[in-house]
Amino acid sequence: MSITEHELEIKLEGVEDPDIGEDIVSLGLVNDVTIDDETARISLAFNAPYAPSEMEIGNQVREVIEDAGLEADLRAHVGEDHGFDDEVLPRVRNVIAVSSGKGGVGKTTVAANLAAGLEKRGAMVGLLDADIHGPNVPQILPPESDPGVTPNEEIVPPRSDGVRIISMGMMMEDEDDPAILRGPMVNKFMMKFLEGVEWGRLDYLIVDLPPGTGDATLNLLQSMPVTGSVVVTTPQEMALDDTRKGIQMFNKHDTPVLGVVENMSSFICPSCGDQHGLFGTGGADTIVDKYDVPLLGRIPIHPDFGADGSQGALVKDDDSEVQSHLEDVVGEVADRIGETNRRTVSENITQEPANKLPTETED
């Protein structure tokens, strides 16, 4: 006798979320279980495409289905019932803010490589350069064309190696022109970038914030459903002091801090291979311990990474010694996004009979 839908759901209770530590059924991550013509169609409340943990959970679900003698058809769906905003940026699944307490720590380079790394995994990604006074994203990810405009006067972002980008740097006649703008004009440009860009459908929108805790960051937190923030620092104590302030700001605005990236963590001698902590060692560990946030990765000092002004994201450069460090950061960020979203589902979902669940969309 073939297995029933109820029996299959009971078997799925054996699949544990590796980040939360509870089974996916108890967490409310199984939207629907349907068996039709020897195929089990499972709808999962996942919202972080290509996150390693969610792909691992999916593989475990497939194993359960195959062990039951069925073909697996997995889909993903989340919506308002799961605790997600369907009104602001309804076609953007996740907004990731990349911030730093002070300038000069490599925040933009990290943001650009995060966007390129997620796109490399197969996700649809946009990158918003919200650093109005220092728009450096086009230097790392040069746009392949000028921005377009829709009949509704929305900006259509060009692409750079698959990533859709928009930046104040594209609006300058000369790349050396300064953005001399007072507060009200900065806010005007910020709101245009936040509300007047036609991104299309995105899995991830990366927002490269200006350094510090000023108006631009507050506007973002008040205007967009930010899934979480990535904070970039160096091991230096002055940078760490400002990083602590940034984390406190996100906490006060109920924005999850996905974790900390320690850039310029060490220098690896190209001649002897010895590692040297030029700016101190383990500085980010003090923040991780105090604020109970993950360390997403450490990126060493290397001429490839932001030193020579070369164009392109090193996360896509197979010859770069920094690539593996960047790929680790990308995977960690995606996993923290997935964990944050699954916790949101667990806190908000109301278990309903299968026939009352919303129609899922294929992942």
Side-chain angles (χ1 to χ4, degrees):
M1 182 180 295
S2 61
I3 190 172
T4 67
E5 294 168 354
H6 177 66
E7 290 170 338
L8 181 56
E9 185 167 351
I10 291 175
K11 287 183 176 294
L12 291 175
E13 293 177 358
V15 178
E16 182 179 284
D17 186 306
D19 299 314
I20 301 177
E22 299 179 35
D23 74 86
I24 61 173
V25 175
S26 299
L27 290 170
L29 300 177
V30 180
N31 292 326
D32 188 24
V33 177
T34 303
I35 299 176
D36 182 30
D37 194 23
E38 302 302 316
T39 297
R41 294 181 175 85
I42 311 292
S43 172
L44 299 171
F46 286 178
N47 199 41
Y50 303 98
S53 288
E54 295 199 350
M55 296 175 71
E56 177 186 338
I57 296 172
N59 289 335
Q60 292 184 45
V61 170
R62 288 187 177 91
E63 289 179 6
V64 170
I65 294 171
E66 290 170 2
D67 288 345
L70 300 170
E71 294 290 328
D73 181 3
L74 303 189
R75 298 162 185 259
H77 170 82
V78 294
E80 186 176 358
D81 292 343
H82 299 87
F84 295 91
D85 190 324
D86 279 343
E87 296 183 6
V88 180
L89 296 177
R91 301 180 70 193
V92 177
R93 289 189 174 196
N94 299 286
V95 177
I96 306 173
V98 180
S99 70
S100 65
K102 63 185 301 156
V105 300
K107 167 185 56 63
T108 297
T109 312
V110 171
N113 277 274
L114 175 58
L118 288 168
E119 194 278 335
K120 178 183 175 182
R121 289 171 178 257
M124 292 176 287
V125 185
L127 175 57
L128 167 58
D129 186 356
D131 193 346
I132 302 298
H133 290 291
N136 296 318
V137 163
Q139 296 180 20
I140 304 171
L141 293 176
E144 297 166 1
S145 63
D146 293 328
V149 181
T150 71
N152 296 328
E153 297 187 349
E154 292 181 313
I155 302 172
V156 179
R159 293 178 185 264
S160 178
D161 197 16
V163 178
R164 304 170 200 179
I165 62 172
I166 200 69
S167 170
M168 187 69 181
M170 301 176 185
M171 312 299 172
M172 303 293 189
E173 292 186 8
D174 188 279
E175 64 179 16
D176 292 330
D177 287 344
I180 304 175
L181 300 170
R182 294 186 182 274
M185 287 301 294
V186 172
N187 289 340
K188 180 179 179 181
F189 275 104
M190 273 296 298
M191 295 314 296
K192 180 63 176 177
F193 284 170
L194 295 179
E195 300 176 352
V197 176
E198 176 49 64
W199 291 104
R201 189 163 71 88
L202 294 180
D203 296 317
Y204 301 95
L205 174 60
I206 313 301
V207 183
D208 178 30
L209 291 172
T213 57
D215 287 350
T217 299
L218 295 176
N219 283 339
L220 172 73
L221 297 179
Q222 294 167 358
S223 305
M224 302 178 78
V226 179
T227 309
S229 63
V230 173
V231 183
V232 182
T233 188
T234 61
Q236 297 160 294
E237 188 56 41
M238 290 183 64
L240 295 170
D241 285 343
D242 291 333
T243 299
R244 295 183 185 98
K245 296 173 186 176
I247 290 177
Q248 289 281 55
M249 177 197 64
F250 287 119
N251 288 339
K252 289 180 180 178
H253 285 81
D254 296 324
T255 301
V257 177
L258 302 173
V260 176
V261 175
E262 186 182 81
N263 194 23
M264 309 179 197
S265 63
S266 63
F267 170 71
I268 302 175
C269 177
S271 299
C272 65
D274 289 347
Q275 188 166 321
H276 306 276
L278 300 183
F279 301 130
T281 58
D285 292 337
T286 61
I287 294 177
V288 169
D289 294 339
K290 181 174 181 178
Y291 293 101
D292 192 26
V293 297
L295 178 63
L296 299 171
R298 288 188 168 96
I299 303 173
I301 300 171
H302 195 280
D304 286 352
F305 196 63
D308 61 1
S310 59
Q311 296 178 341
L314 293 182
V315 73
K316 291 188 174 183
D317 184 353
D318 294 338
D319 295 326
S320 173
E321 296 178 6
V322 185
Q323 185 190 57
S324 62
H325 297 276
L326 296 170
E327 288 181 332
D328 289 344
V329 169
V330 172
E332 285 293 325
V333 171
D335 273 347
R336 298 291 74 76
I337 287 286
E339 178 185 354
T340 298
N341 286 337
R342 297 195 303 277
R343 289 187 184 277
T344 297
V345 171
S346 181
E347 293 168 0
N348 288 274
I349 192 65
T350 300
Q351 294 292 333
E352 297 283 353
N355 59 2
K356 292 186 178 181
L357 288 166
T359 302
E360 66 270 10
T361 57
E362 186 168 358
D363 188 30

